[in-house]
Amino acid sequence: MEQFLSPSEFIDFEHPAVAAKACELAKGAGSENEVIKRCFEFVRNEMKHSADFKLNPVTSKASDVLIHGTGYCYAKSHLLAALLRCNSIAAGLCYQRLSVGDSGPPYCLHGLNAVFLRGVGWFRIDARGNKPGINAQFCPPVEALAFSVRPPEERDLPEIWSEPLPSVILALRSYKTYDAVLRNLPDIELLP
């Protein structure tokens, strides 16, 4: 579990602003699940999704998402992982492969989180941000994610990563504006 509790370049919970926000969100919480819910709802509701709100700059580190108040789903998942890990709650990164236009090719990755819940195990949560047609919630033991997949080309990727996928970081670091990222969203080749 150590890898899911540790800081890193992109899940930089040792940054003073991230550490302070993590402490603030946990203050007075009556349970670990309450801390998780507070962190989840803060990232979901207060950090704006870059494409939804047409916002720059493109962020990748948790601290940058917090400072600028915006990020793509991937970057928002980095912030949520950082807030949880800072509170000693094991958190990882997950991905779905979804249709960009909701009707077949092209496809892209969507970033979300997994958190380790006592008595439940790994549980996925999606803080991308709600809008009409998207209603992600934290309501264990039932997952309420932003998107459901339509096989065979759309998939829930089963892995839980301690660090972001290289293709995700490449997309976030290669383009300077939200619309450039939107035109170049990362994807992954599916195995047969």
Side-chain angles (χ1 to χ4, degrees):
M1 280 297 193
E2 188 60 33
Q3 63 186 344
F4 297 104
L5 291 164
S6 300
S8 68
E9 179 181 359
F10 298 100
I11 302 172
D12 59 339
F13 67 75
E14 293 175 323
H15 187 283
V18 177
K21 181 52 75 173
C23 184
E24 175 189 323
L25 290 166
K27 188 173 183 179
S31 68
E32 189 171 88
N33 275 11
E34 187 176 346
V35 174
I36 296 166
K37 184 174 183 176
R38 287 179 182 183
C39 292
F40 165 76
E41 290 181 349
F42 170 75
V43 176
R44 183 194 66 188
N45 298 341
E46 303 302 323
M47 302 294 103
K48 293 178 169 62
H49 188 282
S50 299
D52 288 356
F53 289 89
K54 300 177 173 37
L55 290 175
N56 293 312
V58 175
T59 54
S60 55
K61 290 183 175 186
S63 57
D64 290 338
V65 177
L66 183 61
I67 290 164
H68 296 288
T70 187
Y72 268 90
C73 57
Y74 323 107
K76 290 182 70 166
S77 73
H78 303 165
L79 176 58
L80 181 53
L83 294 170
L84 294 171
R85 290 182 188 185
C86 192
N87 281 303
S88 300
I89 299 168
L93 306 172
C94 300
Y95 299 94
Q96 293 176 313
R97 185 179 194 247
L98 302 171
S99 171
V100 172
D102 210 33
S103 60
Y107 295 92
C108 70
L109 292 177
H110 167 60
L112 56 153
N113 293 88
V115 61
F116 194 82
L117 301 179
R118 297 178 201 280
V120 175
W122 285 108
F123 181 79
R124 293 183 305 164
I125 52 178
D126 191 341
R128 95 154 306 274
N130 289 342
K131 63 180 186 176
I134 295 176
N135 185 24
Q137 301 293 328
F138 177 68
C139 50
V142 178
E143 288 183 344
L145 304 178
F147 304 105
S148 55
V149 298
R150 295 166 302 193
E153 296 301 318
E154 293 189 347
R155 300 270 182 89
D156 285 315
L157 304 182
E159 299 86 1
I160 301 170
W161 301 86
S162 60
E163 291 298 319
L165 291 178
S167 61
V168 166
I169 296 306
L170 182 64
L172 295 176
R173 290 276 172 103
S174 295
Y175 305 101
K176 300 296 181 203
T177 62
Y178 82 88
D179 50 331
V181 174
L182 192 57
R183 290 190 301 271
N184 296 281
L185 293 169
D187 191 10
I188 195 166
E189 187 174 334
L190 294 178
L191 299 173

